[in-house]
Amino acid sequence: MMDKETADALFDLSYGMYVVAASHGGRKNGQITNTVFQVTAEPPRMAVAVNKQNLTHELIAKSGAYSVSTLAEGTPMTFIGLFGFKSGRNTDKFAAVKHDTGQTGSPLVLDHTVSAFEVKVDLETDVGTHTLFIGEIVTARTFGSGKPLTYDYYRRVMCGKTPRGATTYKAPETKEPKEKTTMKKYVCKVCGYVYDPAAGDPEHGIPPNTPFEKIPEDWVCPVCGVPKSEFEAQS
């Protein structure tokens, strides 16, 4: 088990935020990751770490290729929730997302993207829970002059969470329960969405000034879709 100081120190490493995607046999999928990095310059080569349990891992392993779309600051949490907290095994993540098909057959996400790459895999390294897919960049595209979204910005400014299967997942610290107060805000333990009773969730039928306790039990997080039971009172 990783100690707290090591976990905290690892957050000082610099990361970006990307959608890594692949396609095989008519099926395509993508996921959010922060573990993408350039390996060499000549030839230009890139690596990505993907959890072995993920559908994207299966598609990369079978197709021998993947795409990387660099996300921009301002990417909405709903978009990150779609690719970061939903499973492609039961959700078509590309149904309502602007994307293109690259020369390797990999889908390239174009929404909220500042640049995109296609990589042809020539080396797979087993690193335990994840596989490191390394390969040569075969295409690269840029889109405008947006600022890349960093993992630090996602965590500090957007208050985003990390899925359990991610390379940088850190188990939440146990906190002593505090006395409940009326109209308290609640945070989603999965994606970091904060339910503010003053604002409610009008888009999903919850009017302003609705206490969390009064929300119907079948209400789900508007970002990642987890049930009400996955929320905790904000400290």
Side-chain angles (χ1 to χ4, degrees), residues 35-118:
T35 314
V36 173
F37 53 97
Q38 182 179 347
V39 177
T40 58
E42 294 295 340
R45 302 176 84 232
M46 182 176 282
V48 61
V50 183
N51 191 293
K52 294 176 182 178
Q53 302 300 315
N54 293 356
L55 176 59
T56 303
H57 182 284
E58 177 183 326
L59 298 180
I60 294 175
K62 290 180 177 178
S63 67
Y66 60 88
S67 68
V68 174
S69 296
T70 307
L71 298 182
E73 275 191 16
T75 299
M77 283 295 292
T78 50
F79 181 90
I80 294 175
L82 172 64
F83 281 96
F85 297 96
K86 292 184 182 294
S87 171
R89 300 186 190 279
N90 48 41
T91 301
D92 182 358
K93 300 182 182 182
F94 288 90
V97 174
K98 186 178 178 182
H99 63 284
D100 197 2
T101 300
Q103 69 177 26
T104 66
S106 301
L108 292 90
V109 174
L110 304 180
D111 287 340
H112 313 295
T113 298
V114 297
S115 60
F117 308 84
E118 280 187 275

Side-chain angles (χ1 to χ4, degrees), residues 2-206:
M2 186 188 303
D3 63 85
K4 183 180 183 302
E5 187 169 9
T6 299
D8 290 343
L10 284 171
F11 277 133
D12 290 334
L13 298 179
S14 298
Y15 299 96
M17 291 284 284
Y18 314 89
V19 173
V20 174
S23 177
H24 180 76
R27 192 174 192 183
K28 56 182 177 284
N29 191 57
Q31 65 172 70
I32 297 288
T33 184
N34 58 12
T35 314
V36 173
F37 53 97
Q38 182 179 347
V39 177
T40 58
E42 294 295 340
R45 302 176 84 232
M46 182 176 282
V48 61
V50 183
N51 191 293
K52 294 176 182 178
Q53 302 300 315
N54 293 356
L55 176 59
T56 303
H57 182 284
E58 177 183 326
L59 298 180
I60 294 175
K62 290 180 177 178
S63 67
Y66 60 88
S67 68
V68 174
S69 296
T70 307
L71 298 182
E73 275 191 16
T75 299
M77 283 295 292
T78 50
F79 181 90
I80 294 175
L82 172 64
F83 281 96
F85 297 96
K86 292 184 182 294
S87 171
R89 300 186 190 279
N90 48 41
T91 301
D92 182 358
K93 300 182 182 182
F94 288 90
V97 174
K98 186 178 178 182
H99 63 284
D100 197 2
T101 300
Q103 69 177 26
T104 66
S106 301
L108 292 90
V109 174
L110 304 180
D111 287 340
H112 313 295
T113 298
V114 297
S115 60
F117 308 84
E118 280 187 275
V119 178
K120 188 169 180 58
V121 178
D122 54 32
L123 178 63
E124 297 181 20
T125 301
D126 188 326
V127 289
T129 57
H130 291 62
T131 297
L132 197 62
F133 293 103
I134 305 170
E136 185 171 347
I137 299 172
V138 294
T139 64
R141 299 163 63 178
T142 57
F143 308 93
S145 57
K147 188 175 181 180
L149 172 62
T150 67
Y151 185 53
D152 178 66
Y153 185 94
Y154 169 70
R155 290 183 59 250
R156 289 191 305 103
V157 180
M158 299 174 67
C159 299
K161 299 292 185 179
T162 304
R164 185 176 296 274
T167 55
T168 51
Y169 174 75
K170 176 185 176 183
E173 296 179 26
T174 302
K175 297 180 180 179
E176 292 295 326
K178 295 185 178 181
E179 183 180 351
K180 292 184 178 180
T181 59
T182 58
M183 300 294 284
K184 194 173 185 65
K185 295 180 181 179
Y186 280 73
V187 60
C188 176
K189 294 184 288 185
V190 176
C191 70
Y193 166 80
V194 176
Y195 174 76
D196 182 353
D201 182 18
E203 186 177 350
H204 298 94
I206 309 300

